């Protein structure tokens, strides 16, 4: 059976399962083990990274916010040349904020910042690493992506590596996770759970996170009517709306809409239809204090819920962690990463902090001078 035929069969099986509500006997027989490949297709040539010899778009099973099987899409990229003995070591790439609408999935349209990310990821390919790049659950698959849901993102990343290896035997079982911004948080949270989620079939070695949005949940604690009374930057406003959307998706029992004004509900609904660049422009000028009808801290066990949903772990790591931070970053200000590193060091974790005199995007690119040798050492 050809690759195209297998893809068509898999897509039909997925449609039967997802859209028929998994109620048929056939659906019960579908293997939904995390990392199981559902469909494989050619990745659009214009989305190939510099230095790519082969690339595919994949759909695979992973785990959603309710701890039940969920679908994710993604792509993998194989570098040029001959694979070393044991196969190409793998970078599990966790992308930064692109949006929560299906049309924003990087495997469909490429990264939100193509000039930056293509240069960055091309450098990893040039070093001889294959790249498995998840879109995350809900971004290109049924439902809304639960933005900043750390454990769901970790499942998506780990299972993208499993799925990519199932399709291409030239990929090694040895891998690291690398991520930026939203993906920086996903990468570090993945680092905490990678060995557990990966199981014996993967050999996890360590993590690199840049622009890591750590302790962001603390900034959400006081939000409510009148807080803040002025507009924040357009990036931070967009992130907030995506977070509210994610909480609404992951925790329907909380009824986030009941804490929002009519304007707030409209803004979250609108944000769910816009990729990040469009959202920043169309939603610029919103005042967060006008979005809420009552304080979010009235949600029962509010901090516990937020910390479980988006808190970056501060202990439990079994492999080295690299965190890079731009000192002039206004998207994810430096205190976020600095406070995370301090907490991790206090808990005896193997974490290395590198700071750079630049902004959010600049830190990603400048960090490779340090992260490439760091990752090379992990594989040695």
């Amino acid at each position: 059976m050809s690759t195209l035929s297998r893809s068509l069969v898999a897509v039909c099986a997925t449609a039967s399962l997802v859209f028929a509500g998994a109620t048929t006997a056939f659906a019960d027989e579908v293997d939904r083990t995390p990392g199981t490949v559902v469909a494989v297709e050619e990745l659009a040539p214009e989305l190939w990274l510099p230095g790519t010899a082969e690339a595919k778009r994949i759909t695979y099973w992973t785990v959603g916010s309710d701890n039940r099987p969920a679908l994710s899409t993604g792509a993998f990229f194989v570098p040029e040349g001959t694979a070393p003995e044991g196969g190409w070591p793998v970078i599990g790439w966790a992308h930064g904020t692109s949006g929560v609408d299906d049309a924003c999935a990087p495997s469909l349209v490429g990264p939100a910042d193509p000039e930056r990310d293509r240069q960055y990821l091309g450098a990893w390919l040039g070093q001889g690493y294959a790249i498995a790049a998840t879109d995350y659950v809900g971004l290109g698959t049924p439902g809304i992506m639960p933005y900043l849901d750390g454990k769901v993102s970790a499942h998506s990343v780990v299972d993208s590596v499993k799925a990519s290896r199932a399709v291409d035997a030239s990929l090694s079982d040895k891998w690291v996770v690398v991520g930026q911004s939203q993906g920086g948080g996903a990468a570090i949270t993945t680092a905490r759970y990678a060995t557990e989620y990966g199981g014996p079939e993967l050999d996890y070695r360590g993590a690199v996170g840049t622009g890591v949005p750590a302790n962001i949940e603390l900034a959400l604690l006081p939000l409510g009517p009148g807080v803040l009374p002025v507009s924040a930057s357009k990036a931070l406003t967009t992130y907030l709306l995506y977070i509210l959307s994610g909480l609404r998706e992951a925790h329907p029992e909380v009824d986030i809409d009941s804490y929002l004004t009519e304007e707030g509900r409209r803004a979250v609904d609108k944000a769910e239809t816009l990729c990040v660049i469009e959202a920043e422009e169309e939603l610029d000028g919103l005042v967060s204090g006008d979005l809420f009808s009552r304080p979010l801290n009235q949600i029962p066990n509010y901090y516990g819920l937020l910390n479980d949903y988006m808190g970056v772990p501060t202990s439990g790591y079994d492999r080295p962690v690299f965190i890079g931070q731009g000192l002039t970053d206004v998207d994810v200000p430096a205190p976020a990463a600095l406070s995370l590193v301090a907490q991790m060091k206090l808990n005896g974790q193997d974490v290395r902090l590198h700071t750079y005199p630049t902004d959010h995007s600049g830190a990603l690119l400048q960090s490779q001078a340090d992260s490439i040798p760091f990752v090379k050492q992990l594989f040695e």
Side-chain angles (χ1 to χ4, degrees):
M1 183 182 289
S2 69
T3 299
L4 177 59
S5 298
R6 287 195 298 271
S7 297
L8 291 174
V9 170
V11 168
C12 291
T14 302
S16 298
L17 173 63
V18 175
F19 299 111
T23 58
T24 66
F26 170 76
D28 292 337
E29 296 172 1
V30 171
D31 183 1
R32 293 174 287 177
T33 303
T36 299
V37 178
V38 174
V40 183
E41 57 189 298
E42 297 298 326
L43 184 70
E46 63 270 20
L47 301 184
W48 284 35
L49 298 169
T52 296
E54 180 187 4
K56 301 289 185 185
R57 185 173 189 265
I58 56 176
T59 304
Y60 61 95
W61 285 109
T62 183
V63 179
S65 296
D66 57 2
N67 290 316
R68 296 175 60 84
L71 289 169
S72 179
T73 50
F76 70 84
F77 305 84
V78 180
E80 297 171 340
T82 302
E85 183 178 355
W88 299 108
V90 180
I91 299 287
W93 168 244
H95 68 80
T97 302
S98 60
V100 299
D101 184 76
D102 286 348
C104 312
S107 71
L108 288 176
V109 298
D113 191 335
E115 182 177 355
R116 179 195 71 184
D117 289 1
R118 286 175 59 81
Q119 176 184 344
Y120 180 80
L121 295 172
W124 286 114
L125 282 169
Q127 292 291 318
Y129 299 102
I131 295 173
T134 183
D135 290 330
Y136 308 128
V137 163
L139 192 57
T141 50
I144 298 293
M145 179 186 69
Y147 183 71
L148 295 189
D149 187 327
K151 288 187 281 294
V152 169
S153 300
H155 279 295
S156 295
V157 171
V158 172
D159 296 331
S160 74
V161 178
K162 290 183 179 181
S164 299
R165 294 188 65 244
V167 175
D168 193 314
S170 74
L171 273 59
S172 170
D173 63 345
K174 298 177 175 60
W175 74 289
V176 300
V177 58
V178 176
Q180 156 75 358
S181 194
Q182 174 193 0
I188 304 305
T189 302
T190 298
R192 168 61 179 81
Y193 296 103
T195 299
E196 175 186 343
Y197 292 173
E201 67 186 271
L202 294 181
D203 181 1
Y204 164 69
R205 296 302 182 90
V208 173
T210 53
V212 179
N215 294 311
I216 301 300
E217 63 274 15
L218 298 177
L220 302 181
L221 293 179
L223 292 181
V227 182
L228 298 168
V230 296
S231 60
S233 73
K234 58 185 180 182
L236 294 180
T237 298
T238 300
Y239 300 158
L240 172 61
L241 294 172
Y242 285 161
I243 290 170
L244 293 171
S245 167
L247 285 170
R248 189 165 68 175
E249 173 73 8
H251 290 283
E253 77 282 0
V254 170
D255 190 12
I256 286 292
D257 278 353
S258 71
Y259 291 83
L260 301 176
T261 61
E262 184 176 348
E263 178 184 0
R265 290 190 292 272
R266 283 199 307 268
V268 175
D269 290 344
K270 185 66 174 178
E272 289 183 347
T273 70
L274 300 172
C275 297
V276 63
I277 303 302
E278 300 168 297
E280 289 182 355
E281 295 306 318
E282 291 200 27
L283 301 170
D284 186 25
L286 285 178
V287 175
S288 64
D290 295 338
L291 304 179
F292 301 102
S293 59
R294 51 181 172 147
L296 290 183
N297 62 22
Q298 291 182 1
I299 296 173
N301 188 32
Y302 180 42
Y303 176 72
L305 181 146
L306 283 180
N307 188 56
D308 180 70
Y309 175 77
M310 61 188 294
V312 179
T314 60
S315 63
Y317 296 85
D318 61 357
R319 296 292 186 273
V321 173
F322 174 112
I323 292 179
Q325 177 65 43
L327 295 177
T328 61
D329 190 337
V330 295
D331 291 276
V332 180
L338 300 181
S339 61
L340 173 64
V341 171
Q343 291 170 294
M344 291 176 69
K345 284 187 174 292
L346 187 64
N347 290 329
Q349 306 302 291
D350 185 356
V351 57
R352 297 93 185 274
L353 173 67
H354 293 263
T355 59
Y356 304 94
T358 185
D359 60 11
H360 197 56
S361 292
L364 175 70
L365 298 174
Q366 291 185 22
S367 68
Q368 280 192 304
D370 300 307
S371 61
I372 286 176
F374 170 81
V375 168
K376 182 179 180 180
Q377 187 176 33
L378 294 179
F379 285 109
E380 292 174 347

